[in-house]
Amino acid sequence: MPCLENKYEDNEGAVICNANQFIGCSGYNCTHSLTLGENVGNTGWGKYRAYAVSNTLVAGFTEYGGPVRFLYTTNLTIAGLFLRNEAIVKQDEVDSNMGMVASGVNGAKFGQFDDILPLEDGVKPNIGFGRTFRTANTVGTVITDFTNPISGQVYTIIIGDSNTSIRTSETIQLSGSIVKETGSSVILRYQDGIYYEIGRSMSKDWGTQLHATDESLELGDSGLVDLLQASTDKPRTTTIVNPELHNAYLTVINRSTNGEITPPDFNQNQFIVPDDLSMDSLDWGQARITNWVYVSALGKYVLSGWRITKYY
């Protein structure tokens, strides 16, 4: 069982575990065929501190009995690895494998490396471990860079929430417009300090149905809102959550679920409402449809058209 560890009191440079190679090796009927590093932090009942095993090459390695473990490494290169058992490979508070590159891995699962991983919150998240990530920001977040990339690697970023967008910046070169909306994704190749877009997919807009009494409207991935209102309701001013992160085009349908209604006002901090927009009452079976365009320079929606129509 080959095992490389890097631990020595509290001095990272005291034991150098760097630039080792495992080429054409095999592990049979072992507890662990190959172990690199030890869990992050103190070890040996606090007598030692673990540090990363750095710049290791594993090539043409066959694991046939005893899972491979990569516990604490930096810049580990895998070039040909057969696994009979699922490998122990992850990135968390216990294990760390920043800068890992892996190719030619087959057989069992290569730990969490090829999973869809949660992307760190914030405008400059860490992508040092893994290749596919999903966002989960809870507040408006514009990603303009990433940390710990690997040159030549391809990364897929999936938008998993309605708060995150990815924009062109000094280090991100998108071939199209901003990437946003739940379910959209972008593929980036990192090269010479720049993330270049090489592909994307955008989510479809099936519309969403909300209620005029809602304090604010969470559009999700939709650019069409069917805004329901009953004759007995006291509607709120139409307010959009994070309008800058949604479609440039927004359609709002105001209609009654029963009886006569008066459509609510639009939040004038978000909408430029012309004087000739009808605010007249609507009978059941009538709808007012307004079409808006979000102008980023103004930070507001501008009305592009409206009409009164039938929906029944």
PDB file of all heavy atoms in Angstrom, residues 83-99:
ATOM      1  N   LEU A  83     -10.282   1.687 -11.320  1.00  0.00           N
ATOM      2  CA  LEU A  83     -10.815   1.532  -9.974  1.00  0.00           C
ATOM      3  C   LEU A  83     -11.791   0.370  -9.918  1.00  0.00           C
ATOM      4  O   LEU A  83     -12.768   0.323 -10.670  1.00  0.00           O
ATOM      5  CB  LEU A  83     -11.551   2.814  -9.546  1.00  0.00           C
ATOM      6  CG  LEU A  83     -10.723   4.104  -9.498  1.00  0.00           C
ATOM      7  CD1 LEU A  83     -11.631   5.287  -9.268  1.00  0.00           C
ATOM      8  CD2 LEU A  83      -9.649   4.009  -8.416  1.00  0.00           C
ATOM      9  N   ARG A  84     -11.537  -0.547  -9.015  1.00  0.00           N
ATOM     10  CA  ARG A  84     -12.504  -1.605  -8.741  1.00  0.00           C
ATOM     11  C   ARG A  84     -13.510  -1.136  -7.692  1.00  0.00           C
ATOM     12  O   ARG A  84     -14.669  -1.541  -7.700  1.00  0.00           O
ATOM     13  CB  ARG A  84     -11.794  -2.856  -8.247  1.00  0.00           C
ATOM     14  CG  ARG A  84     -12.736  -4.045  -8.056  1.00  0.00           C
ATOM     15  CD  ARG A  84     -11.978  -5.251  -7.547  1.00  0.00           C
ATOM     16  NE  ARG A  84     -12.855  -6.413  -7.431  1.00  0.00           N
ATOM     17  CZ  ARG A  84     -12.481  -7.572  -6.911  1.00  0.00           C
ATOM     18  NH1 ARG A  84     -11.219  -7.725  -6.468  1.00  0.00           N
ATOM     19  NH2 ARG A  84     -13.312  -8.586  -6.834  1.00  0.00           N
ATOM     20  N   ASN A  85     -13.062  -0.272  -6.784  1.00  0.00           N
ATOM     21  CA  ASN A  85     -13.898   0.273  -5.727  1.00  0.00           C
ATOM     22  C   ASN A  85     -13.999   1.789  -5.873  1.00  0.00           C
ATOM     23  O   ASN A  85     -13.097   2.433  -6.419  1.00  0.00           O
ATOM     24  CB  ASN A  85     -13.306  -0.049  -4.348  1.00  0.00           C
ATOM     25  CG  ASN A  85     -13.170  -1.535  -4.103  1.00  0.00           C
ATOM     26  OD1 ASN A  85     -14.121  -2.212  -3.757  1.00  0.00           O
ATOM     27  ND2 ASN A  85     -11.951  -2.052  -4.300  1.00  0.00           N
ATOM     28  N   GLU A  86     -15.084   2.365  -5.377  1.00  0.00           N
ATOM     29  CA  GLU A  86     -15.216   3.816  -5.421  1.00  0.00           C
ATOM     30  C   GLU A  86     -14.076   4.468  -4.640  1.00  0.00           C
ATOM     31  O   GLU A  86     -13.790   4.101  -3.493  1.00  0.00           O
ATOM     32  CB  GLU A  86     -16.553   4.271  -4.845  1.00  0.00           C
ATOM     33  CG  GLU A  86     -16.718   5.779  -4.857  1.00  0.00           C
ATOM     34  CD  GLU A  86     -18.078   6.248  -4.382  1.00  0.00           C
ATOM     35  OE1 GLU A  86     -19.022   5.415  -4.325  1.00  0.00           O
ATOM     36  OE2 GLU A  86     -18.204   7.447  -4.054  1.00  0.00           O
ATOM     37  N   ALA A  87     -13.424   5.431  -5.265  1.00  0.00           N
ATOM     38  CA  ALA A  87     -12.312   6.134  -4.635  1.00  0.00           C
ATOM     39  C   ALA A  87     -12.821   7.126  -3.588  1.00  0.00           C
ATOM     40  O   ALA A  87     -13.954   7.608  -3.660  1.00  0.00           O
ATOM     41  CB  ALA A  87     -11.485   6.859  -5.686  1.00  0.00           C
ATOM     42  N   ILE A  88     -11.981   7.435  -2.631  1.00  0.00           N
ATOM     43  CA  ILE A  88     -12.282   8.455  -1.630  1.00  0.00           C
ATOM     44  C   ILE A  88     -11.583   9.731  -2.072  1.00  0.00           C
ATOM     45  O   ILE A  88     -10.384   9.911  -1.881  1.00  0.00           O
ATOM     46  CB  ILE A  88     -11.815   8.014  -0.234  1.00  0.00           C
ATOM     47  CG1 ILE A  88     -12.528   6.714   0.169  1.00  0.00           C
ATOM     48  CG2 ILE A  88     -12.065   9.103   0.796  1.00  0.00           C
ATOM     49  CD1 ILE A  88     -11.981   6.072   1.436  1.00  0.00           C
ATOM     50  N   VAL A  89     -12.356  10.594  -2.714  1.00  0.00           N
ATOM     51  CA  VAL A  89     -11.821  11.846  -3.262  1.00  0.00           C
ATOM     52  C   VAL A  89     -12.884  12.917  -3.059  1.00  0.00           C
ATOM     53  O   VAL A  89     -13.980  12.810  -3.608  1.00  0.00           O
ATOM     54  CB  VAL A  89     -11.508  11.732  -4.771  1.00  0.00           C
ATOM     55  CG1 VAL A  89     -10.808  12.989  -5.252  1.00  0.00           C
ATOM     56  CG2 VAL A  89     -10.682  10.511  -5.071  1.00  0.00           C
ATOM     57  N   LYS A  90     -12.574  13.939  -2.282  1.00  0.00           N
ATOM     58  CA  LYS A  90     -13.573  14.985  -2.034  1.00  0.00           C
ATOM     59  C   LYS A  90     -12.883  16.270  -1.594  1.00  0.00           C
ATOM     60  O   LYS A  90     -11.655  16.323  -1.469  1.00  0.00           O
ATOM     61  CB  LYS A  90     -14.582  14.530  -0.980  1.00  0.00           C
ATOM     62  CG  LYS A  90     -13.974  14.081   0.338  1.00  0.00           C
ATOM     63  CD  LYS A  90     -15.039  13.538   1.290  1.00  0.00           C
ATOM     64  CE  LYS A  90     -14.436  13.056   2.590  1.00  0.00           C
ATOM     65  NZ  LYS A  90     -15.467  12.584   3.555  1.00  0.00           N
ATOM     66  N   GLN A  91     -13.710  17.290  -1.391  1.00  0.00           N
ATOM     67  CA  GLN A  91     -13.209  18.594  -0.957  1.00  0.00           C
ATOM     68  C   GLN A  91     -14.158  19.118   0.117  1.00  0.00           C
ATOM     69  O   GLN A  91     -15.300  19.467  -0.153  1.00  0.00           O
ATOM     70  CB  GLN A  91     -13.168  19.579  -2.144  1.00  0.00           C
ATOM     71  CG  GLN A  91     -12.747  20.993  -1.768  1.00  0.00           C
ATOM     72  CD  GLN A  91     -11.287  21.062  -1.364  1.00  0.00           C
ATOM     73  OE1 GLN A  91     -10.465  20.354  -1.906  1.00  0.00           O
ATOM     74  NE2 GLN A  91     -10.985  21.932  -0.413  1.00  0.00           N
ATOM     75  N   ASP A  92     -13.695  19.130   1.359  1.00  0.00           N
ATOM     76  CA  ASP A  92     -14.521  19.635   2.456  1.00  0.00           C
ATOM     77  C   ASP A  92     -13.602  20.066   3.593  1.00  0.00           C
ATOM     78  O   ASP A  92     -12.399  20.268   3.397  1.00  0.00           O
ATOM     79  CB  ASP A  92     -15.554  18.592   2.915  1.00  0.00           C
ATOM     80  CG  ASP A  92     -14.926  17.258   3.301  1.00  0.00           C
ATOM     81  OD1 ASP A  92     -13.740  17.232   3.686  1.00  0.00           O
ATOM     82  OD2 ASP A  92     -15.627  16.227   3.218  1.00  0.00           O
ATOM     83  N   GLU A  93     -14.137  20.171   4.799  1.00  0.00           N
ATOM     84  CA  GLU A  93     -13.317  20.630   5.919  1.00  0.00           C
ATOM     85  C   GLU A  93     -12.340  19.559   6.408  1.00  0.00           C
ATOM     86  O   GLU A  93     -11.409  19.868   7.165  1.00  0.00           O
ATOM     87  CB  GLU A  93     -14.217  21.071   7.084  1.00  0.00           C
ATOM     88  CG  GLU A  93     -15.004  19.977   7.760  1.00  0.00           C
ATOM     89  CD  GLU A  93     -16.281  19.612   7.013  1.00  0.00           C
ATOM     90  OE1 GLU A  93     -16.541  20.216   5.952  1.00  0.00           O
ATOM     91  OE2 GLU A  93     -17.015  18.727   7.494  1.00  0.00           O
ATOM     92  N   VAL A  94     -12.502  18.319   5.972  1.00  0.00           N
ATOM     93  CA  VAL A  94     -11.633  17.218   6.404  1.00  0.00           C
ATOM     94  C   VAL A  94     -10.630  16.833   5.318  1.00  0.00           C
ATOM     95  O   VAL A  94      -9.458  16.602   5.593  1.00  0.00           O
ATOM     96  CB  VAL A  94     -12.477  15.993   6.811  1.00  0.00           C
ATOM     97  CG1 VAL A  94     -11.571  14.823   7.184  1.00  0.00           C
ATOM     98  CG2 VAL A  94     -13.387  16.337   7.982  1.00  0.00           C
ATOM     99  N   ASP A  95     -11.108  16.759   4.084  1.00  0.00           N
ATOM    100  CA  ASP A  95     -10.242  16.393   2.967  1.00  0.00           C
ATOM    101  C   ASP A  95     -10.096  17.579   2.028  1.00  0.00           C
ATOM    102  O   ASP A  95     -11.028  18.370   1.855  1.00  0.00           O
ATOM    103  CB  ASP A  95     -10.824  15.214   2.187  1.00  0.00           C
ATOM    104  CG  ASP A  95     -10.871  13.940   3.024  1.00  0.00           C
ATOM    105  OD1 ASP A  95     -10.258  13.928   4.091  1.00  0.00           O
ATOM    106  OD2 ASP A  95     -11.527  12.984   2.593  1.00  0.00           O
ATOM    107  N   SER A  96      -8.922  17.702   1.390  1.00  0.00           N
ATOM    108  CA  SER A  96      -8.685  18.828   0.477  1.00  0.00           C
ATOM    109  C   SER A  96      -7.837  18.357  -0.691  1.00  0.00           C
ATOM    110  O   SER A  96      -6.789  17.748  -0.498  1.00  0.00           O
ATOM    111  CB  SER A  96      -7.990  19.978   1.207  1.00  0.00           C
ATOM    112  OG  SER A  96      -7.765  21.061   0.331  1.00  0.00           O
ATOM    113  N   ASN A  97      -8.322  18.633  -1.898  1.00  0.00           N
ATOM    114  CA  ASN A  97      -7.603  18.209  -3.103  1.00  0.00           C
ATOM    115  C   ASN A  97      -7.658  19.315  -4.153  1.00  0.00           C
ATOM    116  O   ASN A  97      -8.201  19.137  -5.250  1.00  0.00           O
ATOM    117  CB  ASN A  97      -8.216  16.917  -3.657  1.00  0.00           C
ATOM    118  CG  ASN A  97      -7.972  15.726  -2.757  1.00  0.00           C
ATOM    119  OD1 ASN A  97      -6.886  15.157  -2.748  1.00  0.00           O
ATOM    120  ND2 ASN A  97      -8.975  15.345  -1.994  1.00  0.00           N
ATOM    121  N   MET A  98      -7.085  20.455  -3.827  1.00  0.00           N
ATOM    122  CA  MET A  98      -7.129  21.603  -4.723  1.00  0.00           C
ATOM    123  C   MET A  98      -6.161  21.419  -5.885  1.00  0.00           C
ATOM    124  O   MET A  98      -5.047  20.919  -5.724  1.00  0.00           O
ATOM    125  CB  MET A  98      -6.778  22.881  -3.956  1.00  0.00           C
ATOM    126  CG  MET A  98      -7.735  23.181  -2.810  1.00  0.00           C
ATOM    127  SD  MET A  98      -9.426  23.451  -3.373  1.00  0.00           S
ATOM    128  CE  MET A  98      -9.214  24.964  -4.278  1.00  0.00           C
ATOM    129  N   GLY A  99      -6.620  21.839  -7.074  1.00  0.00           N
ATOM    130  CA  GLY A  99      -5.761  21.797  -8.252  1.00  0.00           C
ATOM    131  C   GLY A  99      -5.642  20.427  -8.883  1.00  0.00           C
ATOM    132  O   GLY A  99      -4.707  20.179  -9.652  1.00  0.00           O
TER     133      GLY A  99
END
